[in-house]
Amino acid sequence: MSRIDDDDDLGVVGYLLIKKVVIDAANTISSPITYGFPAITGFLGSFHSMSRKMAQDDELSDVSLGGVLLACHDCQPQMYRPNSYNNYTFNQTRNPIKKDGKTASIIEEGKCRLNMTFVVEVLAESKLTPELQATAMQKTEQWIQQQRMAGGSVRGLARFEPVQFFETDDISAVIPQLLPAFVLMDAQEEFTQIIDEVQADNPDATPLDALIDVCALHHIPKLQKNGDTKWSTISRKTGHGWLVPMPVGYQGISDLFDAGTMQNVRNPEYPSQYVEAIYSLGKWVYPQRLNSIGGDNDIANAFWRYHYDAEQNLYLVTQQHDF
């Protein structure tokens, strides 16, 4: 999201750094076919909600929040397997029994524990005064502990200076604050290269085949001169970095229905549409690699934003500025 509202007069006047946010029971099922790190929309939605609170605050009504940088210190999916030969299963909660005394059905859900640091763009018409900066930090620290993050509950923040404000010219000073962690970056270019490689081997392969191939390990036997067999393991993502499949938004698959037309929707006051998930590749990057100002790894390109394409019915999260 370049900004929460449509006011073109707003620009980035600084950044809020929120350090070591401990999130318990976050949703680790990021899409119908992926799990592990939560979906990006789970974090952007939380900061969107925080931006709406700013709009209703007397002191911060002229301030809103924009793109979000995600730095993960630790991610622990809550899984279990009895031995090394079994499949992992998610740890499930025990639901209360029904009125007839029978056990209620349990819908499969996965949870994880996270330790995250966020850097959020602060948008306004002019630079914030030191008093407004202090107010934004104080209220952000309060709000983030009062709301859900990716479906989980915030259990704590860093002990010292949990929320800091940085001017736009001091963005490089944010990088040391992210260590040790990995920053989630878009890997669309790497995905395009992998699709070309897969289709060169198999012209009938689809981008979905390439996405699945990224997750696979290919064990290839090779006969040695002495008659022994030596096995080698190769992967499509070798040389491309730490790639991970992830959902990047939704594609509309039906007409857009007027508000109140579709039944059982969460927000009936808004137009609704049936959608399906869109997948791409993400890449975990060391914060030190974000030092190349003006390059592909410029930290300014690490912020995730909403993007809506009405013609293509696309609801995306992206780090790209132009389409």
Side-chain angles (χ1 to χ4, degrees), residues 44-308:
L44 294 192
S46 296
F47 287 103
H48 191 166
S49 175
M50 191 179 300
S51 185
R52 293 167 68 94
K53 291 179 180 179
M54 284 185 170
Q56 299 173 359
D57 186 88
D58 293 337
E59 296 178 279
L60 300 175
S61 58
D62 296 330
V63 180
S64 62
L65 301 179
V68 182
L69 179 150
L70 307 176
C72 182
H73 303 280
D74 188 31
C75 178
Q76 298 179 357
Q78 303 302 290
M79 302 184 297
Y80 168 79
R81 63 175 177 176
N83 55 62
S84 59
Y85 298 99
N86 282 62
N87 294 325
Y88 280 102
T89 58
F90 289 119
N91 296 341
Q92 299 293 303
T93 56
R94 175 72 175 182
N95 294 345
I97 60 175
K98 299 188 291 186
K99 293 181 179 179
D100 57 5
K102 296 182 180 179
T103 303
S105 301
I106 297 178
I107 298 176
E108 183 79 4
E109 59 181 11
K111 302 295 182 182
C112 65
R113 294 192 181 102
L114 295 170
N115 193 330
M116 300 283 300
T117 290
F118 304 101
V119 185
V120 190
E121 293 175 335
V122 179
L123 308 175
E125 293 183 2
S126 59
K127 289 187 176 182
L128 304 188
T129 63
E131 293 77 13
L132 273 182
Q133 294 177 15
T135 300
M137 288 188 288
Q138 185 267 325
K139 294 192 175 182
T140 298
E141 181 179 355
Q142 174 186 349
W143 288 333
I144 198 170
Q145 297 180 78
Q146 295 176 340
Q147 63 186 41
R148 293 280 188 170
M149 296 289 293
S153 302
V154 176
R155 299 301 186 189
L157 285 77
R159 179 177 298 182
F160 303 106
E161 297 184 313
V163 181
Q164 302 174 41
F165 186 91
F166 290 85
E167 299 282 355
T168 52
D169 296 337
D170 297 332
I171 182 60
S172 296
V174 171
I175 296 173
Q177 302 283 343
L178 304 178
L179 298 169
F182 293 93
V183 177
L184 185 61
M185 299 288 291
D186 177 58
Q188 184 61 46
E189 293 184 6
E190 289 84 351
F191 191 27
T192 301
Q193 295 174 8
I194 292 174
I195 292 174
D196 293 339
E197 294 173 4
V198 172
Q199 291 181 340
D201 297 336
N202 178 12
D204 296 329
T206 65
L208 180 59
D209 294 325
L211 184 70
I212 295 174
D213 207 14
V214 169
C215 307
L217 293 175
H218 299 275
H219 302 281
I220 302 174
K222 185 177 181 180
L223 188 63
Q224 304 296 302
K225 293 181 179 180
N226 60 1
D228 294 338
T229 300
K230 181 179 180 180
W231 290 82
S232 61
T233 303
I234 62 173
S235 171
R236 285 286 183 186
K237 57 185 177 183
T238 299
H240 294 288
W242 186 0
L243 301 180
V244 286
M246 65 176 188
V248 292
Y250 303 94
Q251 167 78 63
I253 58 174
S254 72
D255 295 332
L256 186 65
F257 297 98
D258 295 333
T261 302
M262 190 181 297
Q263 296 181 354
N264 303 321
V265 296
R266 180 179 297 177
N267 300 110
E269 66 271 24
Y270 297 107
S272 304
Q273 187 174 25
Y274 289 103
V275 297
E276 62 181 8
I278 297 178
Y279 301 95
S280 184
L281 286 181
K283 178 170 60 175
W284 291 108
V285 176
Y286 287 116
Q288 299 95 316
R289 293 187 57 194
L290 300 178
N291 278 320
S292 54
I293 303 300
D296 294 337
N297 291 323
D298 186 345
I299 189 173
N301 297 328
F303 290 85
W304 293 93
R305 302 173 180 84
Y306 290 126
H307 176 76
Y308 172 57

